[in-house]
Amino acid sequence: MRRYILKRLLLAIPVLLGITIIDYFIMSLAGNPMDILAGPRMTQEAIAFKAAKLGLDQPVWVQYFNWLGEVLRGNLGYSYKSYQPVAQMIGSHLGPTLLLMGASMVVGLLIAVPAGIYSAVHRYQKRDFAVVTASFLGSSVPGFFLALILIYLFTVRLGWLPSSGMETPGVGGDFLDVARHMVMPVIVLAASIAGSNIRYIRSAVLEILEMDYLRTAKAKGIGHFRVINKHALRNALLPIVTVIGMQIPTLFGGAVIVEQIFSWPGLGLITINAITARDYPVIMGVCLLSAVVVLSANLLTDVVYALVDPTIKY
């Protein structure tokens, strides 16, 4: 296992390098950040001077290697807009994003696992069709649309929940206040997670239920609950773990839109602001973090395989 993990970590280096190259050159197609500063109050000489100071007057490949050299020294650069260190900006906004993502993942799986098992056990019945229909709705309804519906219902019409921010100004941000602000964003993200995972869990459990050893376990009379939750679920975990590992990067990307709608002070908010301002260092810092999250999620998924199924060898 140690050799396998070390090998995956070494392979991650060229993958990360390739991702940053693609991201940087795609980002450069959006135009020069200095174009946003053009106006009656900024002369062309001032813009040219600032571009030269930031190194934006050089070819794109030179800019990339300059950025990469700073990253290898542990410096993600400084924001063109706020002049703050990018690492500091990401660090200050990472906590709220992880809190929102973690809560959404837990809630989504708490819904998806029992619902998927229930649907598989009652396959081709009305209850099965109802659960599958709900899963299709959860995965097909766009997150931004569901967010707007929730804001209209619970904020505009009923006035029960706040629609923006992470805490109420002047309250101090205690646990209950933060929890009230999290309700709607978590519902939006958890609906997507549960909707997509229910069908995978249902399919995995259905496949296991057809195995001979489960028929034998039923024949021994060990109880329906133990047959399903101990024998069937344990052996259906491999595809479930795969889906969960794939959900982490998807959740990271989906949180960007949700955070923007609810003004959640996480990475999504600074990412959208950086994109609109063509703030290259912030965009590249978030992209680099996203790539690390994806690779880490894939590695963690492979490691969990061995914990779930001891017969797997690396």
Side-chain angles (χ1 to χ4, degrees):
M1 178 65 77
R2 292 179 181 177
R3 292 181 59 187
Y4 174 78
I5 294 176
L6 180 60
K7 181 180 178 181
R8 288 292 299 270
L9 292 176
L10 293 176
L11 288 174
I13 297 175
V15 173
L16 279 176
L17 186 63
I19 291 174
T20 57
I21 292 174
I22 295 173
D23 286 343
Y24 201 95
F25 281 91
I26 291 178
M27 180 185 63
S28 65
L29 297 177
N32 196 310
M34 295 298 102
D35 295 340
I36 299 179
L37 299 178
R41 296 184 178 182
M42 288 288 291
T43 64
Q44 291 297 324
E45 291 77 10
I47 294 176
F49 174 78
K50 189 168 185 179
K53 185 177 180 180
L54 296 174
L56 296 174
D57 59 336
Q58 299 176 348
V60 175
W61 64 272
V62 176
Q63 297 179 35
Y64 169 76
F65 281 109
N66 290 337
W67 173 83
L68 183 62
E70 292 297 324
V71 170
L72 294 177
R73 297 186 186 95
N75 179 24
L76 294 179
Y78 292 84
S79 169
Y80 293 161
K81 185 177 180 180
S82 63
Y83 305 105
Q84 292 180 308
V86 174
Q88 181 180 338
M89 294 177 63
I90 292 177
S92 62
H93 290 80
L94 182 60
T97 294
L98 293 179
L99 176 63
L100 183 61
M101 288 174 54
S104 302
M105 180 66 76
V106 170
V107 172
L109 293 179
L110 287 177
I111 297 173
V113 174
I117 297 174
Y118 182 84
S119 180
V121 173
H122 300 88
R123 58 179 173 175
Y124 308 136
Q125 299 180 16
K126 291 183 179 180
R127 290 171 284 185
D128 177 27
F129 295 144
V131 173
V132 172
T133 302
S135 71
F136 275 112
L137 287 175
S139 59
S140 60
V141 174
F144 71 90
F145 182 71
L146 179 59
L148 295 177
I149 292 177
L150 293 178
I151 291 174
Y152 177 75
L153 288 177
F154 295 106
T155 302
V156 178
R157 299 290 296 179
L158 300 175
W160 290 352
L161 298 171
S163 63
S164 62
M166 185 176 174
E167 57 186 47
T168 304
V171 174
D174 57 6
F175 174 79
L176 293 178
D177 185 47
V178 175
R180 289 181 67 247
H181 284 80
M182 288 179 61
V183 171
M184 289 194 290
V186 167
I187 290 176
V188 174
L189 293 174
S192 176
I193 296 171
S196 58
N197 284 334
I198 284 174
R199 286 172 292 151
Y200 288 110
I201 296 172
R202 177 183 181 275
S203 300
V205 175
L206 278 177
E207 183 178 354
I208 297 299
L209 289 177
E210 299 296 330
M211 297 296 179
D212 292 336
Y213 70 88
L214 275 186
R215 296 193 185 98
T216 304
K218 292 178 182 178
K220 289 182 176 179
I222 64 175
H224 184 72
F225 181 84
R226 290 186 62 189
V227 169
I228 299 299
N229 293 280
K230 183 178 180 180
H231 297 281
L233 181 60
R234 176 67 184 270
N235 290 278
L237 280 180
L238 280 183
I240 296 174
V241 169
T242 302
V243 173
I244 294 174
M246 294 171 59
Q247 285 289 335
I248 295 176
T250 305
L251 180 61
F252 193 86
V256 172
I257 305 300
V258 173
E259 288 181 7
Q260 179 69 14
I261 295 175
F262 290 103
S263 298
W264 187 263
L267 291 177
L269 197 61
I270 65 171
T271 301
I272 297 297
N273 294 335
I275 291 173
T276 56
R278 299 180 188 174
D279 198 345
Y280 285 3
V282 177
I283 296 174
M284 287 304 300
V286 174
C287 288
L288 181 61
L289 177 62
S290 302
V292 172
V293 169
V294 172
L295 294 174
S296 300
N298 291 336
L299 177 59
L300 182 61
T301 301
D302 289 343
V303 173
V304 173
Y305 282 164
L307 300 177
V308 172
D309 188 354
T311 61
I312 292 179
K313 304 296 181 182
Y314 292 100

